[in-house]
Amino acid sequence: MTEELDDEIFDQEGEGLNEHLRIEVDKGQSALRLDKFLTDKVANATRNKVQQAIENGDVRVNDGFSKANYKIKPGDVITVMLEAPNTETEVLAEKIDLDILFEDDHLLVVNKPAGMVVHPAYGNWTGTLVNGLVYHFNQLPELPGNTGRPGLVHRIDKDTSGLLVIAKSEAAMTDLARQFFDHSIERTYIALVWGEPTEEEGTINAHVGRSAKNRKVMDTFPDGDQGKHAITHWKVLERLRYVSLLQCNLETGRTHQIRTHMKYLGHPLFNDEMYGGDKIRKGTQFSKYKTFIQNCFKLLPRQALHAKSLGFIHPFTKEFMQFDSDLPEDMKGVLGKWHNYVNLDDY
């Protein structure tokens, strides 16, 4: 398995805490309990898991053992070894309604709603797309090292809606995985972002990898010294005064790629809490405007990102297949509010 294919398939939000971490506390860090600090910093960590790791001696501060209530100081060096997840956990079949756009003997294309996790992982062992797929089929193939994620050759985030292709046979999975590796899969996303880009279109070519300061988020490394190769093409579809509707096309499929790249561009996704889009980034100080934004956030309680279309070569017929999906109602509703807003002068 190649590096890029590994990332496309295995670099998941739910990846396990099976790595040795070294964290140097920033100079501006305020006093904070060790267990609380690590819960915030380590991807997928829980307070109980961190406390257990500290008790087991798997956490050291400045090369010495410590306690959960130790107050960290600027310059402290914390090393962590947390237990890896059990990758042999059986995926439970669940009767879940799936929005299937296409299905034959080899594959299916499903439209995932926002809020549904793609595969089981820490904190989300049930109610995922994969749980529903296991119920829908008698058996789905898995790639080597991909235990617990049957049928998956790519993924989208929990709070991103849109299209996924699922393999129903090993031959189909191998072929589709190769197309992802070759970057021949066509993927179009629609994103609502803060602000208006100065250009009408562009390309972001900057590595994406885990943030050194917060392991729960990704960061952009334009110098290519960290992370993995990532390319996003974007163009403006509509300008709505303080936000813009963009089309994004992926060459690579890194975790949170569009979300991270848009933040790097200076235009984080609307209501993307993880990357700073859940605050007013552009606009006026009028109270009516602030109320308008809060109402938009309530209507769209997630990042404004939808995987709208998907194109690929069928593994057996060799026919090019193109699938498209409508924007979900929450994104339509917020766009409707912005259309009304730009035509009014009382904000």
Side-chain angles (χ1 to χ4, degrees), residues 38-265:
L38 289 177
T39 302
D40 293 340
K41 288 290 185 182
V42 180
N44 306 300
T46 65
R47 191 76 168 265
N48 287 339
K49 189 173 183 66
V50 168
Q51 290 173 343
Q52 187 62 53
I54 295 172
E55 185 176 336
N56 293 342
D58 295 328
V59 177
R60 294 192 178 193
V61 179
N62 303 324
D63 291 327
F65 295 110
S66 191
K67 296 183 178 180
N69 63 358
Y70 170 78
K71 296 294 183 67
I72 63 168
K73 308 183 300 293
D76 279 348
V77 176
I78 304 168
T79 54
V80 188
M81 176 64 78
L82 293 180
E83 180 183 358
N86 178 10
T87 57
E88 301 301 324
T89 300
E90 180 182 0
V91 178
L92 301 177
E94 294 183 71
K95 188 176 182 180
I96 299 173
D97 290 334
L98 301 176
D99 183 9
I100 298 174
L101 276 62
F102 173 85
E103 181 178 1
D104 64 12
D105 292 337
H106 311 289
L107 57 87
L108 78 156
V109 175
V110 62
N111 188 20
K112 185 191 81 68
M116 176 182 281
V117 177
V118 171
H119 62 80
Y122 281 121
N124 294 288
W125 293 116
T126 60
T128 74
L129 176 64
V130 165
N131 292 114
L133 290 171
V134 171
Y135 179 90
H136 188 71
F137 305 108
N138 292 325
Q139 187 174 4
L140 285 171
E142 293 178 342
L143 283 168
N146 201 26
T147 302
R149 298 165 186 170
L152 295 185
V153 289
H154 68 132
R155 62 175 290 281
I156 54 179
D157 298 330
K158 171 186 175 182
D159 289 326
T160 297
S161 55
L163 301 183
L164 288 162
V165 59
I166 308 296
K168 294 174 64 176
S169 68
E170 290 186 13
M173 173 165 279
T174 299
D175 188 279
L176 289 168
R178 175 55 55 183
Q179 292 185 57
F180 274 101
F181 171 67
D182 291 338
H183 307 312
S184 60
I185 300 280
E186 295 183 6
R187 288 172 289 174
T188 299
Y189 289 72
I190 301 298
L192 184 66
V193 304
W194 280 105
E196 294 188 76
T198 56
E199 306 293 334
E200 290 301 314
E201 60 184 54
T203 295
I204 304 172
N205 187 345
H207 283 207
V208 170
R210 290 280 173 193
S211 168
K213 295 182 178 180
N214 185 347
R215 300 289 294 176
K216 294 188 176 185
V217 303
M218 307 301 285
D219 206 348
T220 303
F221 303 96
D223 295 333
D225 54 338
Q226 299 181 56
K228 294 182 180 180
H229 178 59
I231 297 178
T232 303
H233 305 285
W234 61 270
K235 68 176 181 180
V236 177
L237 298 178
E238 190 172 8
R239 296 176 183 273
L240 294 165
R241 194 175 298 184
Y242 300 126
V243 295
S244 298
L245 191 66
L246 303 187
Q247 173 181 310
C248 297
N249 293 89
L250 297 181
E251 279 195 29
T252 55
R254 308 307 179 199
T255 299
H256 299 181
Q257 179 174 319
I258 292 176
R259 300 167 66 184
T260 310
H261 272 175
M262 288 300 107
K263 178 184 177 182
Y264 170 71
L265 193 65

Side-chain angles (χ1 to χ4, degrees), residues 284-321:
T284 72
Q285 297 299 315
F286 298 144
S287 60
K288 284 187 176 181
Y289 176 73
K290 294 178 180 178
T291 300
F292 165 74
I293 295 299
Q294 290 304 317
N295 288 337
C296 286
F297 285 167
K298 290 178 182 178
L299 183 59
L300 182 74
R302 63 179 181 100
Q303 68 264 11
L305 185 63
H306 177 68
K308 192 174 191 304
S309 67
L310 188 63
F312 55 88
I313 301 294
H314 191 285
F316 290 91
T317 68
K318 301 307 177 183
E319 173 189 3
F320 180 75
M321 307 187 74

